[in-house]
């Protein structure tokens, strides 16, 4: 909990970890395509970004999300696969349908937008996504279940400028004897005979799945690569079948997608690269492959031991002239974590510690403690007894709430973070992305700054805000203005007890300023606005803070609102598109008004007559009666015009071209009741809330 805004405060929580973060942010879904003229690629032993600059991937695994691991779900290191835990959960909760609902809610909430925002705030620029093949293959045919989770993740990663590596963690027939491969034919002794990925048509099934995934994301630059199979461990004597199988999967991907990097892991739990080293004489003799088998190829190792055992692993890939990343490491102390991380930073192209969040284990960024109900389910699974079916609702609540990032039960582990912390990124505005205006810009998307820090925000839509703003600080952005003109500058600000100031500077010249109010809390945000003139073209926009003491979440530069002119209009609700209609085409005083489909009928047309500055009467064309705010309720109806304030309406333009209509009698806002959108929705007045149901389009009619 934040006590003070002083930068001298040595207490640093997650929200205060990053200063002067680079402005490489991907702007919006539409601007992404132009920002990414190309895709992440390779150049010798380096991974390079879309502009050909070296890109070091400071990533982390999203483990235990789409593939459960028994040791994480149960808090022990007993062998238990995803499927085994699912079946045990079915018994505990009373049915497989109940277990499936828990699984579904877990997957919806374990990785959410807040998790991605948190990882961005911590400095990570990539995530590795372990998934089970059965999300895309069931009963002998393809299915799309996994895309629900992938699509949401990619959207969030696009928003927070984080790259995605997709990892087939569990492959058909099981590519290793481990529980994390969901190998239900193995056990704690991990017999290699249980590995049947290289039997039957399993390799071809995996290839088909990869083609399916690649076809969906072939044009998605947020995805940087496809990690073909996790930690392969072929049966004794079959190690050299690994490389041809990787090529089979690669070939399937290349049928539809030539944009993305292919990532291949070594044999024996991802540690032995010799079996996929095409320059190795034995590999050549066993496979017939003596060439680089893809032009965009990255090799990957995993390591969970001492740092000394990692040294020299890069020799093979340096000889092959391709990049090497460490895709998993962890389950060790802070000193060893840090040593492996530093080795990776010096010798490799990226690193991905395991894992970002765990249940009941502390070698992670966040621990999710089990609550009492979850512990009761664990006790039944371990010891039997009466199935705790009455705990189903509590378990669903746990999956919906307790596993989400930011839950108050989570335990932060600074030591783990210290061991895997990314290096601070820096850049200048010279080569930074440019924001097209009008539009909204997240405050943390600056390309240059002084003094400010980032923190997680609890404001609407989450993400980050900039904070620790002192007098003299600033943030800077590259912008492109489509059309010269007067614009509305809106800023989303919060302050515990200090009024501040934002000075808007364009190319070094001050254009406008606005004061920031005291809102009563660092996360109690409000929107303030002023008017500013912007010429067309590319510019440098600096927000200078001559007086600090506030947080800034985002700012929006919108077209200046237009004043409504007298005339005849059809008035439609922004939320539904349905129009204000006199019920039953009545001419009687007191006839109700509601929303209905637009038939361009006389009872849907309104003469708008000015009676003051932005104040109007709205007169029904068919009855010649005024729109009237009933003095005895919040309802709105029609009544003979007699010039009272409850028949006069202040109509103010909004930046999006719509209008807000408020009663001169009460100040309340005209709205679609309860935000409903159906035909017959009542029209009334209510306190302002900024919702679309309180905004109206005025469409002129002859």
């Amino acid at each position: 909990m934040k006590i003070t805004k002083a930068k001298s405060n040595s207490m640093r929580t997650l929200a205060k970890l990053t200063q002067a973060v680079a402005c490489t942010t991907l702007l919006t879904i539409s601007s992404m395509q132009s920002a990414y003229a190309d895709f992440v690629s390779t150049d010798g032993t380096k991974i390079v970004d879309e502009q050909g600059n070296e890109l070091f991937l400071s990533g982390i695994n999203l483990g235990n999300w789409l593939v459960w691991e028994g040791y994480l779900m149960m808090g022990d290191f007993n062998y238990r696969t995803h499927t085994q835990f699912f079946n045990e959960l079915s018994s505990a909760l009373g049915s497989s349908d109940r277990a499936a609902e828990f699984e579904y809610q877990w997957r919806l909430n374990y990785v959410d937008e807040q998790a991605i925002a948190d990882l961005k705030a911590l400095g990570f620029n990539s995530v590795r996504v372990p998934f089970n093949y059965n999300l895309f293959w069931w009963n002998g045919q393809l299915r799309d279940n996994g895309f629900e989770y992938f699509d949401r993740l990619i959207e969030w990663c696009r928003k927070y400028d984080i790259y995605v590596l997709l990892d087939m963690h569990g492959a058909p027939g099981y590519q290793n004897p481990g529980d994390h491969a969901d190998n239900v034919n193995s056990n704690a002794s991990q017999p290699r005979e249980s590995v049947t990925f290289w039997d039957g048509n399993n390799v071809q099934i995996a290839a088909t799945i990869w083609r399916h995934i690649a076809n969906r994301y072939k044009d998605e630059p947020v995805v940087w690569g496809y990690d073909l199979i996790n930690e392969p461990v072929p049966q004794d004597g079959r190690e050299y079948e690994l490389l041809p199988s990787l090529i089979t999967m690669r070939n399937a991907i290349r049928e539809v997608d030539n944009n993305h990097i292919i990532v291949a892991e070594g044999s024996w739990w991802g540690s032995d690269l010799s079996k996929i080293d095409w320059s190795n004489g034995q590999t050549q003799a066993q496979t017939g492959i003596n060439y680089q088998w893809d032009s965009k190829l990255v090799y990957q190792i995993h390591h969970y031991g001492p740092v000394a055992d990692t040294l020299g692993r890069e020799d093979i890939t340096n000889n092959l002239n391709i990049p090497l990343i460490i895709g998993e490491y962890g389950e060790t102390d802070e000193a060893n974590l840090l040593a492996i991380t530093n080795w990776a930073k010096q010798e490799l192209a990226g690193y991905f510690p395991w894992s970002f969040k765990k249940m009941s284990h502390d070698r992670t960024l966040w621990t999710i403690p089990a609550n009492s109900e979850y512990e009761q389910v664990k006790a039944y699974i371990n010891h039997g007894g009466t199935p705790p079916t009455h705990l189903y609702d509590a378990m669903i609540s746990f999956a919906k709430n307790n596993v989400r990032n930011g839950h108050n039960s989570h335990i932060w582990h600074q030591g783990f973070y210290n061991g895997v912390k990314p290096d601070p990124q820096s850049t200048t505005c010279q080569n930074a992305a440019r924001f097209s205006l009008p539009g909204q810009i997240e405050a943390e998307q600056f390309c240059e700054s002084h003094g400010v820090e980032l923190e997680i925000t609890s404001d609407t839509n989450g993400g980050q805000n900039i904070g620790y703003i002192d007098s003299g600080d600033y943030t800077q952005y590259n912008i492109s203005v489509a059309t010269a003109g007067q614009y509305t500058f809106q800023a989303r600000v919060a302050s515990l007890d200090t009024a501040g100031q934002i000075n808007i500077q364009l190319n070094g010249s001050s254009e406008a300023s606005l004061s920031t109010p005291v809102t009563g809390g660092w996360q109690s945000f409000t929107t303030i606005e002023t008017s500013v003139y912007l010429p067309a073209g590319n510019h440098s926009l600096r927000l200078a803070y001559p007086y600090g003491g506030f947080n800034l979440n985002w700012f929006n530069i919108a077209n200046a609102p237009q004043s409504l002119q007298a005339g005849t209009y059809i008035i439609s609700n922004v939320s539904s598109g349905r129009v204000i209609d006199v019920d039953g085409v009545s001419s009687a005083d007191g006839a109700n008004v509601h929303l209905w489909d637009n038939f361009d009928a006389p009872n849907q047309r309104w003469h708008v007559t000015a009676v003051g500055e932005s104040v109007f009467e709205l007169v029904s064309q068919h009855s010649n009666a005024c729109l009237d705010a009933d003095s005895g309720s919040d309802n709105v109806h029609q009544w003979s015009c007699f010039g009272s304030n409850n028949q006069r309406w202040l109509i103010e333009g909004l930046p999006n071209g719509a209008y807000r209509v408020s009663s001169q009698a009460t100040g309340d806002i005209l709205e679609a009741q309860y935000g409903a959108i159906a035909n017959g929705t009542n029209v009334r007045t209510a306190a302002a809330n900024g919702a679309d149901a309180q905004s109206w389009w005025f469409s002129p009619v002859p």
Side-chain angles (χ1 to χ4, degrees):
M1 184 169 185
K2 197 177 306 169
I3 307 276
T4 174
K5 294 289 283 188
K7 290 192 182 76
S8 61
N9 185 356
S10 62
M11 299 294 292
R12 288 292 182 263
T13 62
L14 169 63
K16 312 171 203 174
L17 291 167
T18 307
Q19 186 171 3
V21 175
C23 180
T24 57
T25 304
L26 314 181
L27 310 183
T28 62
I29 294 176
S30 60
S31 65
M32 270 294 292
Q33 300 307 316
S34 61
Y36 283 91
D38 299 302
F39 288 71
V40 172
S41 189
T42 60
D43 184 4
T45 60
K46 306 297 183 184
I47 296 173
V48 295
D49 65 14
E50 301 79 10
Q51 290 76 42
N53 303 311
E54 182 179 352
L55 172 65
F56 185 84
L57 293 168
S58 301
I60 198 161
N61 279 279
L62 302 184
N64 207 42
W65 176 32
L66 301 178
V67 185
W68 282 333
E69 301 203 25
Y71 87 98
L72 293 172
M73 301 304 290
M74 294 294 291
D76 56 38
F77 285 88
N78 295 330
Y79 187 92
R80 184 179 280 106
T81 71
H82 181 109
T83 298
Q84 288 167 338
F85 180 74
F86 180 93
N87 292 337
E88 292 167 340
L89 195 63
S90 298
S91 175
L93 299 182
S95 72
S96 60
D97 287 345
R98 287 186 161 194
E101 181 62 20
F102 178 85
E103 179 187 59
Y104 179 66
Q105 293 299 333
W106 179 281
R107 288 170 168 173
L108 282 183
N109 297 293
Y110 192 75
V111 174
D112 60 359
E113 182 175 353
Q114 188 62 59
I116 302 305
D118 289 350
L119 294 175
K120 178 64 178 180
L122 293 169
F124 296 101
N125 65 7
S126 184
V127 291
R128 180 172 177 258
V129 186
F131 68 92
N132 200 326
Y133 84 96
N134 60 25
L135 285 165
F136 300 96
W137 186 268
W138 196 256
N139 290 332
Q141 60 185 4
L142 287 168
R143 65 175 182 172
D144 293 340
N145 292 37
F147 291 136
E148 176 179 6
Y149 311 110
F150 282 6
D151 288 352
R152 295 164 75 240
L153 173 71
I154 289 168
E155 181 180 353
W156 298 325
C157 288
R158 181 187 298 113
K159 179 176 180 179
Y160 294 102
D161 191 17
I162 289 181
Y163 292 106
V164 175
L165 173 63
L166 301 177
D167 153 44
M168 187 179 289
H169 215 67
Y174 321 118
Q175 80 279 10
N176 67 48
D179 53 349
H180 49 272
D182 199 20
N183 189 340
V184 297
N185 294 324
S186 189
N187 54 47
S189 65
Q190 298 185 331
R192 291 176 73 176
E193 291 76 15
S194 67
V195 177
T196 59
F197 175 73
W198 287 274
D199 297 335
N201 64 342
N202 288 319
V203 172
Q204 190 55 55
I205 291 172
T208 300
I209 293 169
W210 273 121
R211 184 192 297 113
H212 189 53
I213 293 171
N215 190 55
R216 189 176 186 94
Y217 299 121
K218 59 181 182 292
D219 298 319
E220 178 52 74
V222 172
V223 175
W224 75 264
Y226 305 127
D227 187 353
L228 299 179
I229 50 170
N230 177 70
E231 297 188 351
V233 184
Q235 295 178 13
D236 286 326
R238 302 182 67 177
E239 291 89 348
Y240 290 101
E241 294 182 43
L242 172 59
L243 182 54
S245 70
L246 295 173
I247 294 175
T248 296
M249 289 181 277
R250 173 266 178 197
N251 290 343
I253 291 171
R254 293 299 185 231
E255 290 175 12
V256 297
D257 181 357
N258 290 309
N259 292 324
H260 289 98
I261 290 173
I262 301 295
V263 180
E265 301 184 28
S267 186
W268 196 245
W269 312 102
S271 65
D272 181 6
L273 295 177
S274 67
K275 305 301 188 296
I276 57 174
D277 175 7
W278 63 81
S279 71
N280 180 284
Q282 178 129 7
T283 301
Q284 293 175 352
Q286 292 285 337
T287 66
I289 299 164
N290 60 0
Y291 55 90
Q292 180 171 336
W293 47 279
D294 196 88
S295 61
K296 298 179 181 178
L297 186 62
V298 170
Y299 275 6
Q300 178 183 158
I301 60 167
H302 293 181
H303 182 68
Y304 284 94
V307 63
D309 295 340
T310 66
L311 305 180
R313 298 279 191 94
E314 69 277 16
D315 290 346
I316 289 177
T317 49
N318 286 345
N319 177 62
L320 298 175
N321 197 34
I322 62 171
L324 178 66
I325 63 173
I326 182 166
E328 289 185 25
Y329 66 105
E331 307 293 354
T332 187
D333 58 73
E334 180 182 338
N336 196 49
L337 272 177
L338 181 59
I340 296 173
T341 300
N342 287 338
W343 167 76
K345 290 176 179 178
Q346 295 165 11
E347 302 294 342
L348 307 186
Y351 67 87
F352 294 81
W354 186 271
S355 178
F356 85 122
K357 186 163 54 177
K358 298 176 180 178
M359 283 199 63
S360 306
H361 291 277
D362 60 0
R363 292 177 174 178
T364 183
L365 293 175
W366 297 279
T367 295
I368 306 170
N371 61 11
S372 62
E373 292 84 3
Y374 196 100
E375 290 288 356
Q376 292 178 64
V377 172
K378 286 168 56 180
Y380 168 79
I381 292 174
N382 282 326
H383 307 295
T386 303
T389 56
H390 64 287
L391 297 178
Y392 170 70
D393 289 341
M395 289 291 286
I396 295 299
S397 177
F398 185 91
K400 286 182 176 181
N401 300 296
N402 292 48
V403 305
R404 298 176 68 92
N405 263 46
H407 191 270
N408 58 18
S409 70
H410 290 190
I411 303 168
W412 167 254
H413 299 290
Q414 186 67 41
F416 184 90
Y417 179 67
N418 291 341
V420 303
K421 181 164 60 178
D423 290 334
Q425 299 179 17
S426 62
T427 189
T428 66
C429 291
Q430 182 177 358
N431 299 314
R434 191 171 297 278
F435 295 87
S436 297
L437 298 180
Q440 182 172 303
I441 301 173
E442 298 295 323
E444 70 272 16
Q445 294 177 325
F446 52 76
C447 55
E448 187 178 312
S449 70
H450 178 269
V452 304
E453 300 183 22
L454 306 187
E455 59 185 7
I456 306 302
T457 184
S458 58
D459 194 16
T460 304
N461 297 324
Q464 302 164 280
N465 62 255
I466 62 170
Y468 299 86
I469 300 173
D470 287 339
S471 299
D473 290 348
Y474 69 85
T475 54
Q476 191 159 312
Y477 312 82
N478 288 341
I479 62 171
S480 179
V481 181
T483 305
Q486 203 71 25
Y487 290 85
T488 297
F489 178 93
Q490 300 172 312
R492 188 73 170 167
V493 297
S495 175
L496 176 64
D497 54 12
T498 305
Q501 187 175 351
I502 301 173
N503 188 268
I504 304 167
Q505 300 176 357
L506 200 69
N507 305 321
S509 298
S510 181
E511 301 296 333
S513 65
L514 67 169
S515 298
T516 64
V518 174
T519 64
W522 295 119
Q523 293 297 317
S524 297
F525 282 91
T526 189
T527 303
I528 58 176
E529 65 181 45
T530 189
S531 181
V532 62
Y533 178 83
L534 299 177
N538 296 334
H539 307 286
S540 174
L541 173 68
R542 174 174 290 192
L543 301 185
Y545 311 115
Y547 303 102
F550 62 94
N551 288 347
L552 175 63
N553 188 11
W554 51 257
F555 60 95
N556 183 54
I557 296 176
N559 291 312
Q562 300 297 309
S563 298
L564 186 67
Q565 303 299 309
T568 302
Y569 296 87
I570 288 177
I571 308 170
S572 57
N573 190 255
V574 171
S575 181
S576 67
R578 291 190 165 92
V579 305
I580 297 180
D581 174 288
V582 180
D583 188 13
V585 201
S586 174
S587 298
D589 283 348
N592 197 42
V593 296
H594 58 193
L595 297 183
W596 207 266
D597 291 334
N598 181 14
F599 297 111
D600 194 22
N603 65 317
Q604 297 178 336
R605 296 179 180 179
W606 299 87
H607 299 306
V608 178
T609 305
V611 294
E613 183 72 26
S614 298
V615 178
F616 300 86
E617 287 183 343
L618 281 66
V619 182
S620 171
Q621 185 183 68
H622 94 98
S623 67
N624 209 35
C626 279
L627 188 69
D628 180 286
D630 185 4
S631 59
S633 70
D634 63 2
N635 195 44
V636 174
H637 54 202
Q638 72 173 12
W639 204 271
S640 299
C641 299
F642 54 87
S644 68
N645 280 341
N646 60 321
Q647 296 183 342
R648 294 186 171 182
W649 302 89
L650 177 65
I651 303 180
E652 302 170 288
L654 299 173
N656 64 354
Y659 293 85
R660 180 173 53 237
V661 181
S662 57
S663 170
Q664 282 290 88
T666 65
D668 287 340
I669 310 299
L670 193 71
E671 70 164 20
Q673 189 168 6
Y674 306 129
I677 61 174
N679 277 334
T681 295
N682 192 47
V683 177
R684 68 170 186 179
T685 60
N689 59 26
D692 284 346
Q694 294 189 339
S695 300
W696 303 88
W697 303 113
F698 281 70
S699 303
V701 295

